[in-house]
Amino acid sequence: MKGWLSYFRFRNFSFWFWGMLTYIIAALIWWFISLETQNRQMTRFRLERLNTQSAAYDKQTQQILSEQKRNTTKYVSEGITFLALLLFGAFVVYRSFRRRISYIAMQQNFMMAVTHELKTPIATTRLSLETILHRKLEESQQQKLLQNALAETGRLDVLTNNILLASKVEESGGISTSTPFCLSVLLEQTVTEYTARFPARKIDASVEKDISIIGEEKWMQIALSNLLDNALKYAPKETPVSVRLYADSSKAVLSVADQGSGIPQTEKKKIFYKFYRIGNEITRSTKGTGLGLYLTQKIIAKHCGRIEVKDNLPKGSIFVIEIPLYAH
Ligand code: ADP
């Protein structure tokens, strides 16, 4: 509904915008034609008033004609400059309005997604716990329900962390700490946590020991969770996810690879925009807010690092992070 609202707002704006622009351009052309007509009339009038018998007749005629030419050049050049400035201004206004509208639409989608994302895990966890409390269940059934509740609270944790962090990462400047921490340990812990949350999934981890970086450990944990979450979310259940960490000269290189649908070339930059979600069926049918990768990129940038996404051959995507190593 809200999406339609912004669509109509955009249609309305477009109608007025193009209408006004067409009117201004038409007025400009009309002014040019009027001025030019006046210019010619003036020339004709002045030529008619010349004395044809005069010795200076030719010279005066030349003068009048060149004045007419000068005036025409002036009108054309001023008209072109004005038109160019007008078109440039119109382009800037139109582009920023379009961006604003699509941002508002994404924000509205985000609000709806958040509401949904908050409600679902709470309801599922509650149902699982109530079932355990009120029914006599076998050990294995209880384990399954608890596993379910654990996975849902984990999702809730990632979501609330993302929302709480969203405003903080937008503050300018880098991270405020100079304390190093061991990225290898953090990654191993995160992988262990995800293996417990998703026992049916296979997560292959190859983690080089003692890789340390300077930064906010809690933030880095959120970045890693987002990448693992996405890899598990956007790849089929039967495919493995591979996580790798190694040191390469002065950098720590961390990659998360999946065998999912992959990310089209045209979307590779956009997925890091705030609230952006690829508009295909696979994404639409999965839950999400479009905040995860935006935050991940901001967090990595605050650690003086960079993140990029590549194609995983033959299928899927690889997110690669590079962060400066802490030199002991
Ligand atoms: P979301 O909450 O939608 O997962 P993200 O910011 O984490 O938000 O991701 C943005 C979009 O990038 C997703 O909606 C999805 O379309 C795409 N995406 C992210 N990770 C992957 C992946 N591993 N495989 C395929 N598509 C992905």
Side-chain angles (χ1 to χ4, degrees), residues 125 144-155 193 196-197:
T125 309
K144 209 168 165 216
L145 286 174
L146 284 173
Q147 196 68 55
N148 219 354
L150 191 67
E152 291 298 327
T153 44
R155 257 182 58 195
E193 186 201 315
R197 266 176 62 190

Side-chain angles (χ1 to χ4, degrees), residues 3 45 49-50 62 119 133 146 183 198 204 252 254 277 309 322 328:
F45 178 67
R49 288 190 53 191
L50 286 182
Q62 278 307 318
K119 279 174 116 176
L133 202 67
L146 284 173
L183 188 59
F198 300 94
D204 297 323
L254 191 152
R277 307 195 74 211
V309 59
E322 289 180 2
H328 295 269

Side-chain angles (χ1 to χ4, degrees), residues 230-231 233-234 258 261-263 271 276-278 283 288-294 317 319:
N230 281 350
K233 196 160 66 170
Y234 297 113
D258 64 61
S261 53
I263 295 163
I271 54 170
Y276 190 83
R277 307 195 74 211
I278 298 178
T283 299
T289 57
L291 256 189
L293 287 179
Y294 163 76
S317 357
F319 284 84

